[in-house]
């Protein structure tokens, strides 16, 4: 099982993590906030980097998270199997102000399980938590879906930065923990 890839230095780990979820839920902005502390108020779904590598230190070791963005492929339901290949982590993102994006999570989970290992460490992310007046999905609904599917859960806001780093780091740390249990 290709659970991780080891870089040139023996102490370096590189984890591929994929962002998935419907168009306009904020995937590209979550990545922009996490990796560059930037936010784009009117971003277009086609704009975005293919992937971005971010260093995270865990227990004195440097871990590189290579985070992949769909860059608009999802609009055509055409996220390729190459996108998922080798992924060890996933953020399944919906928009708390659009119920339809929450209803799509089941389909994204199926797709993830079809194209990747069952052991992909996944977190359900309810983004746009700043849109309090427009909320269509309660925190409890998110929580209980995550519990029933065995996912971590967090509500985030790429706009006000809330929980963005925490969401990515939860996945990276769990991958690291699983890995260190396996090799040590
Ligand atoms: P993607 O298609 O999933 O990559 O979504 P984008 O990152 O392109 O975001 C779609 C739109 O939602 C953009 O206009 C963003 O400015 C906006 N957006 C993204 N994240 C947030 C957030 O946390 N709060 C609010 N209020 N808007 C957001
Ligand atoms: Mg995008």
């Amino acid at each position: 099982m290709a659970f991780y890839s080891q870089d040139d230095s023996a102490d370096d780990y590189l984890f591929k993590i994929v962002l998935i979820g419907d168009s306009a839920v904020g995937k590209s902005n979550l990545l922009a906030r996490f990796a560059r502390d930037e936010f784009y108020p009117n971003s277009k779904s086609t704009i975005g980097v293919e992937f971005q590598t971010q260093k995270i230190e865990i227990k004195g070791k440097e871990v590189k998270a290579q985070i992949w963005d769909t860059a608009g492929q999802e609009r055509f339901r055409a996220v390729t199997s190459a996108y998922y290949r080798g992924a060890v982590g996933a953020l399944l993102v919906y928009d708390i102000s659009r119920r339809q994006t929450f209803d799509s999570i089941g389909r994204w989970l199926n797709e993830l399980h079809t194209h990747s290992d069952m052991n992909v460490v996944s977190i359900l992310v309810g983004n746009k938590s700043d849109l309090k007046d427009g909320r269509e999905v309660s925190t409890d609904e998110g929580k209980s879906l995550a519990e029933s599917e065995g996912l971590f859960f967090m509500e985030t806001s790429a706009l006000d930065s809330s929980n963005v780093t925490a969401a990515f780091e939860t996945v990276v740390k769990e991958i690291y923990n699983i890995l260190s249990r396996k090799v040590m």
Side-chain angles (χ1 to χ4, degrees):
M1 181 179 67
F3 199 76
Y4 68 101
S5 58
Q6 216 160 7
D7 237 3
D8 16 18
S9 144
D11 282 343
D12 267 9
Y13 295 101
L14 181 68
F15 301 152
K16 176 175 174 179
I17 294 169
V18 290
L19 280 158
I20 48 179
D22 284 359
S23 202
V25 295
K27 299 181 297 299
S28 299
N29 273 279
L30 284 167
L31 181 52
R33 177 62 80 196
F34 178 58
R36 309 189 292 277
D37 201 17
E38 288 171 0
F39 181 78
Y40 306 99
N42 289 302
S43 57
K44 292 274 182 328
S45 60
T46 46
I47 292 175
V49 289
E50 194 181 20
F51 64 80
Q52 179 120 19
T53 306
Q54 182 74 4
K55 292 175 188 170
I56 296 166
E57 198 178 295
I58 305 173
K59 296 173 189 161
K61 295 234 193 250
E62 184 171 283
V63 171
K64 286 184 189 133
Q66 186 187 67
I67 302 151
W68 287 65
D69 185 13
T70 55
Q73 290 183 71
E74 76 280 14
R75 277 190 306 162
F76 313 106
R77 297 203 169 188
V79 178
T80 61
S81 56
Y83 185 74
Y84 294 100
R85 195 167 303 133
V88 291
L91 284 83
L92 292 134
V93 188
Y94 65 96
D95 172 351
I96 64 123
S97 74
R98 277 196 299 144
R99 171 157 298 274
Q100 187 202 319
T101 66
F102 180 69
D103 294 339
S104 295
I105 291 294
R107 185 174 63 79
W108 286 110
L109 263 175
N110 281 339
E111 192 164 312
L112 178 67
H113 291 152
T114 304
H115 292 292
S116 60
D117 204 289
M118 282 302 280
N119 295 318
V120 173
V121 174
S122 305
I123 184 168
L124 179 65
V125 174
N127 189 41
K128 308 198 186 182
S129 60
D130 56 284
L131 296 178
K132 295 192 170 53
D133 295 340
R135 182 185 281 274
E136 288 184 0
V137 184
S138 72
T139 304
D140 280 347
E141 285 176 284
K143 244 182 224 163
S144 63
L145 176 62
E147 262 164 36
S148 66
E149 298 290 347
L151 313 166
F152 289 99
F153 174 68
M154 232 169 250
E155 286 191 344
T156 61
S157 168
L159 175 67
D160 69 18
S161 298
S162 141
N163 275 343
V164 176
T165 303
F168 284 98
E169 289 193 354
T170 295
V171 172
V172 175
K173 283 180 180 159
E174 178 67 6
I175 296 166
Y176 184 86
N177 287 339
I178 293 171
L179 176 63
S180 38
R181 281 201 294 274
K182 273 182 206 234
V183 293
M184 284 164 195

